[in-house]
Amino acid sequence: MSEQSLPDGARPQHADALPEYAERVLDVTELIPPGRVMTYGDVAEYLEEGGPRQVGRVMSLYGGGVPWWRVVRADGALLAGHELEAIDRYRDEGTPLKEASRAAEGHLPRLDLKRARWDGGARAQDDGGHTRGRGGRGQAHT
């Protein structure tokens, strides 16, 4: 992960350690209930740090071990290259979708963000104000 793509103060202590910011993003991802989603910007806002691009970078590098399909684009479009797997997971979880129009590229549905979006509910925090870590998730979703 590029040091430039992480918020200040989120650098790893050890070369092989998961960056603290990445750990926090993954923790939030694990909190999202089945059938619900948060946008990249929602996750950054929940953490009160970084932005959509930083969250997206974390998810692309480390998100394979968490329910990555629950962190989505703000327009509801499915993640390019992962559309079919994501659709299967959304349907299994009952995530609200909007059926695609015939004019839509590939006739793929979009997420119905009005119904599927999760606001973060109650936070499980430690004394430092950060969500609690679980570890063991440092793989990309490619």
Side-chain angles (χ1 to χ4, degrees):
M1 175 174 225
S2 168
E3 294 291 316
Q4 297 171 349
S5 63
L6 290 172
D8 291 338
R11 309 295 183 252
Q13 296 289 340
H14 307 286
D16 61 344
L18 190 64
E20 186 266 341
Y21 183 74
E23 185 73 29
R24 292 177 60 214
V25 168
L26 299 177
D27 285 344
V28 172
T29 303
E30 289 182 326
L31 293 174
I32 303 168
R36 305 299 297 275
V37 298
M38 290 179 91
T39 67
Y40 296 106
D42 291 341
V43 172
E45 186 176 317
Y46 183 91
L47 292 172
E48 298 177 345
E49 184 177 6
R53 290 179 188 260
Q54 287 82 11
V55 171
R57 181 79 171 148
V58 167
M59 294 303 294
S60 72
L61 292 173
Y62 304 109
V66 297
W68 55 264
W69 58 93
R70 296 182 192 153
V71 180
V72 302
R73 292 174 37 156
D75 64 1
L78 304 182
L79 182 62
H82 300 279
E83 301 95 334
L84 298 178
E85 182 178 356
I87 286 174
D88 287 343
R89 292 183 184 266
Y90 295 140
R91 288 185 174 142
D92 287 346
E93 293 184 357
T95 308
L97 298 170
K98 289 182 181 180
E99 289 306 316
S101 69
R102 293 180 186 248
E105 184 177 332
H107 302 288
L108 292 172
R110 286 182 179 261
L111 289 156
D112 184 344
L113 289 178
K114 285 185 180 181
R115 294 179 25 222
R117 204 170 202 167
W118 186 59
D119 66 3
R123 298 183 193 200
Q125 295 183 331
D126 63 17
D127 293 339
H130 300 122
T131 55
R132 297 175 199 253
R134 293 193 187 115
R137 305 164 304 210
Q139 58 187 11
H141 69 87
T142 55

